[in-house]
Amino acid sequence: MEQIFLIASIIIPSIAVIVGVNILFAGFGKKSGLREHYVDLLIKIFEWCAKQIEESSELKKRRESDENGEIESDDEGIEVDDSSDDSDENSSVVRKTSKAFALKTSQRCRLVSENHSIISRQATLHPSEKDEFTVTTFVKTQGGAAVMDSVYYLKAGIEAIVEDDVTNRFKAEQLASWNMMTRTSTQFYKFLNWKLTLVWILGLIFRYAILIPIRIIIFFIGGGLLVWSTALIGLIPEGRVKRFLNQRCMLASFRILTRSVSAVVYFHDKQNKAQSGGICVANHTSPLDVMILSMDNVYAMVGQRQGGVLGFVQRTLSRAADHIWFERSVANDRLLVLKALKEHVDDPNKLPIIIFPEGTCINNTSVMQFKKGSFEIGAKVYPIAMKYDSRFGNAFWNSSEQSYGEYFFHLMTSWATVCHVWYLPAMERLPNESAIDFANRVKKAIAAKGGLVDLEWDGQLKRYKVPPKLIAMEQDKCYHHLEKYPLKPQGAQQIDEEIDQEEQR
Amino acid sequence: MLQDEEIQEIAAETGFSKNQIVRLYSRFLSLDRQGRGYLDREDFLRIPELAINPLGDRIVDAFFTETGSDTDFRINFRQFIRVLAHFRPLNKHKPNVINSREEKLRFAFSMYDLNKNGYITREEFKFILNMMVGSNITPDQLDSIADRTITEADADNDGKISFEEFCKAMERTDIDQKMSIRFLN
């Protein structure tokens, strides 16, 4: 009994102190720098682990080749493709712009598997007007061209079966090196080394026994603050005081809430932050996006009215400031939504709106098609690019595989949630630009800043089938290509003309 | 999970390296959304880039024909990787039956041969053409293109194209290059 009391008397006050200090810092918007050091330490540990994995697997390979004779690579006729893949580019962008200590990320973390692609795509089909076909010179007729084109389509199809650009955006991003969490270990989880296993066990204990209790407590404190403060502020009449208080309380509560997933967020280019009367657009990865953005600036949120706990939170938030929540039936009526957005944007006393035009969560390696609705209003658009560092935890919420609760539990048992947020300069729709072109321009800017791939595919394809008009577009392209060839080969045309002339006689 | 033994068997049969086999297995698992251990037509057509391909249906069909499972439409991983092995580039120093020019041509042939009777008829060719250009050309134009092409390749004048005639017609083309996919190591 005594031992239990002694242990508890050490653990519980220390947890209370940690939590208390955290809250104080968060409430006043100060940084203790503790989380940044923690992240730095983690990077060092991952580097060491990657080195261990590399050494152990080399040893293993050498042992195997000694047993089996030479292990030959069977692709002698083909050059190995050295081009770097997406995640390499991401990591270099992230590295360049993060703070000095994060720059120490060494090459080792990327060395284990550098190229995630299985093939190098040569025949791709895009849902756009670009002409994809190569010119075949030995084909003389439309028939021959048709056969060659069919082979092109065949190749494109098989390449798509092996590796396509779309379906892999709805799965968690593949890591270059193991980050000591079982859930990411499909390729790396081998008991290569006892040292590695020891680190993994320690990491497991640390995450589940120490981090979780702290995080859960912080979460409830933050959530409670949010709900109670907005309820109290709701009692104050409209005016400057209310807006000021709302800003302070929202910032404080969201800072506390994001600490519950150990969020380390780097905000860049703060001078481009949104002012009232604008619409902020960002790429969507998880429900956490709004919370992270709210750490630095206060926004008006837009969304469907939910039931249950989420609905309750929505109602309390609305007491302190104006957010736009829609009934499910109304949300389908685009005009009403746009009208409400326009009214909100025109009012200088209201907060800038935050919208995610993709409409669904993508896995943060690419930006998919933006819905044009928010770009039609004519307000100033403040683009925001968000890039999560996947080494510390996977922020992507796959709504078809995980429930909300499971997702949050995963977040809380990850090492940390590291995110870079870039505020891009405001953009406005040009006089001759259509809403779709404007949306694509913004999307391109966001993708370029965040180091993400800019795709034209619709994010809703993860749920729905491809619409037939995309197939019709592809058929049009094929027809235009065939048209360039004559129906009959050159020589045959003359013979046909002679036959025609003879028949006329 | 793939055992080492199985990987070696597959490597011997298809010519893929161990790395490539592991990656293709991971791809197979991600296509097999319901985790049933096999793929059916729906799993393939869920890939958007394949769904907008005008010949998408035919490609999936030919895939299943190659595995010999065109009756129950299920492919396990061994069959999956064996079909993909057809598309490995030709290696003159290490000729392998599975990715030879003939095997590639056979795959293309089965894409055209709708009823799998070993011949491509005028109707079957018109069907493929129609899939590719849709409503952009008239039935007359379709007829004349099909007529010309079949007649040119039809050596024995029986009105349809056998596999040998198909190979002969493709002789001077670089079809094996066009049907090769660059697998990275």
Side-chain angles (χ1 to χ4, degrees):
Chain A
M1 274 311 293
E2 299 167 346
Q3 289 94 334
I4 299 178
F5 175 71
L6 282 172
I7 296 175
S9 69
I10 299 178
I11 294 184
I12 294 185
S14 42
I15 292 185
V17 164
I18 295 176
V19 170
V21 167
N22 236 319
I23 305 286
L24 275 175
F25 273 111
F28 291 100
K30 296 274 181 283
K31 286 192 169 171
S32 61
L34 187 66
R35 280 176 301 166
E36 279 82 355
H37 289 303
Y38 167 60
V39 162
D40 191 24
L41 179 66
L42 280 176
I43 293 180
K44 285 212 189 74
I45 296 179
F46 293 159
E47 284 176 29
W48 178 83
C49 291
K51 207 171 64 174
Q52 290 295 313
I53 294 178
E54 210 188 309
E55 285 174 1
S56 310
S57 60
E58 263 185 38
L59 268 174
K60 197 170 170 209
K61 247 194 249 169
R62 237 175 280 147
R63 249 182 275 137
E64 274 174 15
S65 66
D66 284 341
E67 291 170 8
N68 301 339
E70 279 279 325
I71 297 182
E72 306 173 69
S73 147
D74 212 312
D75 295 272
E76 289 163 322
I78 299 97
E79 323 100 78
V80 175
D81 201 315
D82 277 337
S83 58
S84 65
D85 64 319
D86 290 352
S87 74
D88 250 17
E89 281 182 326
N90 289 350
S91 71
S92 64
V93 168
V94 166
R95 267 183 265 149
K96 268 184 242 155
T97 51
S98 43
K99 299 201 176 163
F101 53 78
L103 274 172
K104 278 191 266 172
T105 309
S106 79
Q107 294 296 324
R108 287 210 178 273
C109 274
R110 301 282 147 188
L111 259 183
V112 176
S113 63
E114 274 199 316
N115 210 326
H116 294 168
S117 306
I118 310 179
I119 55 178
S120 122
R121 303 288 300 275
Q122 290 168 324
T124 44
L125 300 179
H126 295 286
S128 76
E129 297 296 330
K130 289 184 294 193
D131 200 311
E132 298 280 350
F133 295 101
T134 52
V135 178
T136 38
T137 45
F138 47 76
V139 167
K140 299 193 194 77
T141 62
Q142 281 186 344
V147 175
M148 283 296 127
D149 285 351
S150 68
V151 174
Y152 175 85
Y153 279 128
L154 173 58
K155 181 170 176 171
I158 301 287
E159 281 190 347
I161 290 178
V162 177
E163 189 170 79
D164 78 302
D165 258 344
V166 182
T167 57
N168 63 0
R169 306 295 169 189
F170 303 122
K171 265 187 333 166
E173 185 183 349
Q174 268 207 310
L175 289 175
S177 171
W178 193 31
N179 65 351
M180 300 296 120
M181 294 203 287
T182 330
R183 66 188 80 129
T184 53
S185 65
T186 46
Q187 263 180 302
F188 310 113
Y189 187 63
K190 294 175 208 158
F191 286 106
L192 285 176
N193 199 335
W194 64 267
K195 287 185 256 179
L196 224 52
T197 318
L198 187 63
V199 171
W200 172 67
I201 293 181
L202 285 177
L204 204 65
I205 297 177
F206 176 65
R207 281 185 292 127
Y208 280 84
I210 300 181
L211 282 185
I212 289 231
I214 300 181
R215 285 178 178 171
I216 292 185
I217 298 177
I218 297 182
F219 177 74
F220 278 108
I221 295 182
L225 179 65
L226 183 68
V227 171
W228 286 107
S229 62
T230 47
L232 287 173
I233 294 174
L235 298 171
I236 304 176
E238 292 291 332
R240 257 183 351 128
V241 176
K242 182 173 184 179
R243 284 199 293 277
F244 172 74
L245 279 178
N246 178 52
Q247 190 196 25
R248 287 268 151 244
C249 288
M250 295 280 266
L251 284 176
S253 359
F254 279 115
R255 282 180 184 147
I256 299 175
L257 272 175
T258 50
R259 268 174 156 79
S260 74
V261 291
S262 293
V264 181
V265 191
Y266 301 102
F267 291 98
H268 307 273
D269 299 330
K270 285 198 189 182
Q271 71 276 9
N272 293 323
K273 239 196 278 194
Q275 318 290 333
S276 87
I279 298 186
C280 301
V281 299
N283 55 316
H284 203 24
T285 305
S286 89
L288 217 55
D289 290 343
V290 186
M291 295 214 292
I292 287 182
L293 290 177
S294 299
M295 275 171 78
D296 197 47
N297 197 357
V298 203
Y299 297 101
M301 303 180 197
V302 180
Q304 280 182 335
R305 231 183 268 273
Q306 311 272 352
V309 178
L310 230 50
F312 171 65
V313 172
Q314 286 177 339
R315 281 194 299 278
T316 52
L317 284 176
S318 293
R319 265 184 269 228
D322 281 303
H323 302 275
I324 303 178
W325 309 116
F326 293 110
E327 295 294 336
R328 279 186 190 276
S329 50
V330 175
N332 289 333
D333 190 348
R334 279 189 60 243
L335 288 172
L336 277 173
V337 172
L338 288 181
K339 189 157 154 294
L341 282 176
K342 186 126 191 26
E343 278 173 8
H344 186 110
V345 157
D346 283 337
D347 187 342
N349 287 332
K350 298 208 177 149
L351 302 164
I353 299 180
I354 178 84
I355 279 190
F356 299 101
E358 281 165 312
T360 187
C361 292
I362 316 287
N363 76 344
N364 209 230
T365 54
S366 68
V367 185
M368 292 197 146
Q369 199 188 68
F370 275 6
K371 303 275 179 287
K372 65 177 160 81
S374 12
F375 299 92
E376 287 177 327
I377 300 178
K380 236 185 183 173
V381 170
Y382 295 90
I384 300 176
M386 295 178 66
K387 177 78 184 138
Y388 289 84
D389 192 335
S390 49
R391 286 175 295 174
F392 301 99
N394 176 34
F396 168 55
W397 180 39
N398 191 343
S399 48
S400 37
E401 276 179 24
Q402 286 175 320
S403 71
Y404 211 61
E406 273 179 329
Y407 169 67
F408 259 103
F409 186 67
H410 270 180
L411 277 183
M412 289 215 192
T413 54
S414 306
W415 294 110
T417 307
V418 179
C419 181
H420 289 265
V421 177
W422 288 274
Y423 292 105
L424 279 77
M427 290 176 150
E428 270 179 10
R429 185 164 142 193
L430 298 171
N432 296 336
E433 224 179 5
S434 72
I436 299 182
D437 287 333
F438 182 38
N440 282 336
R441 192 159 59 94
V442 174
K443 178 158 73 82
K444 204 157 154 210
I446 292 182
K449 197 70 179 191
L452 306 161
V453 175
D454 185 8
L455 290 182
E456 289 152 27
W457 294 94
D458 184 354
Q460 294 301 327
L461 282 173
K462 85 175 174 197
R463 288 191 198 104
Y464 306 119
K465 287 201 166 178
V466 169
K469 75 168 178 201
L470 282 183
I471 306 181
M473 264 173 66
E474 201 59 42
Q475 287 173 330
D476 287 344
K477 272 200 279 183
C478 185
Y479 175 62
H480 289 310
H481 184 242
L482 278 189
E483 260 191 323
K484 300 187 187 141
Y485 293 91
L487 178 56
K488 313 162 192 174
Q490 302 291 51
Q493 252 168 339
Q494 287 175 318
I495 299 177
D496 277 353
E497 278 162 26
E498 286 169 20
I499 296 178
D500 282 342
Q501 284 173 342
E502 277 195 22
E503 281 176 9
Q504 278 170 2
R505 282 190 220 133
Chain B
M1 291 263 90
L2 278 186
Q3 305 298 335
D4 267 342
E5 270 177 19
E6 227 185 318
I7 296 184
Q8 290 193 5
E9 272 175 36
I10 299 178
E13 190 184 12
T14 60
F16 282 122
S17 73
K18 179 172 181 211
N19 240 355
Q20 291 167 338
I21 296 176
V22 169
R23 294 238 182 87
L24 286 171
Y25 185 62
S26 162
R27 173 65 172 173
F28 178 82
L29 290 176
S30 71
L31 288 176
D32 178 19
R33 272 217 199 159
Q34 293 162 293
R36 296 174 294 185
Y38 60 84
L39 299 176
D40 62 10
R41 288 179 57 92
E42 275 310 306
D43 291 321
F44 280 100
L45 291 171
R46 210 179 284 125
I47 304 173
E49 285 179 53
L50 190 59
I52 70 165
N53 192 321
L55 296 181
D57 250 359
R58 293 302 319 146
I59 297 174
V60 176
D61 203 61
F63 211 95
F64 279 94
T65 314
E66 267 309 297
T67 65
S69 58
D70 50 332
T71 41
D72 63 349
F73 288 109
R74 290 179 181 195
I75 300 191
N76 63 25
F77 177 61
R78 291 296 288 263
Q79 295 164 316
F80 179 71
I81 200 170
R82 208 177 293 136
V83 176
L84 290 179
H86 289 314
F87 293 88
R88 284 186 58 240
L90 273 180
N91 190 336
K92 296 201 181 68
H93 304 296
K94 284 221 209 89
N96 191 334
V97 177
I98 206 167
N99 64 337
S100 62
R101 189 188 163 93
E102 191 184 318
E103 285 299 314
K104 293 185 183 355
L105 284 169
R106 198 182 293 281
F107 194 94
F109 189 80
S110 68
M111 187 174 72
Y112 276 96
D113 183 11
L114 291 161
N115 60 359
K116 308 188 211 326
N117 63 351
Y119 290 100
I120 303 179
T121 63
R122 208 169 261 119
E123 290 307 313
E124 289 174 337
F125 189 74
K126 275 206 297 198
F127 188 77
I128 300 282
L129 258 189
N130 196 29
M131 282 181 96
M132 287 206 291
V133 290
S135 52
N136 281 306
I137 65 179
T138 66
D140 281 338
Q141 283 173 300
L142 208 59
D143 268 334
S144 46
I145 299 179
D147 266 340
R148 278 230 156 266
T149 322
I150 299 285
T151 325
E152 262 182 54
D154 191 9
D156 59 3
N157 280 322
D158 58 355
K160 45 194 183 175
I161 310 285
S162 69
F163 183 56
E164 289 76 30
E165 289 167 340
F166 184 72
C167 292
K168 192 94 186 20
M170 292 290 144
E171 221 173 31
R172 258 179 282 127
T173 68
D174 62 346
I175 194 169
D176 49 322
Q177 249 202 336
K178 289 205 152 37
M179 284 183 64
S180 292
I181 296 182
R182 281 183 79 193
F183 285 93
L184 304 169
N185 209 339

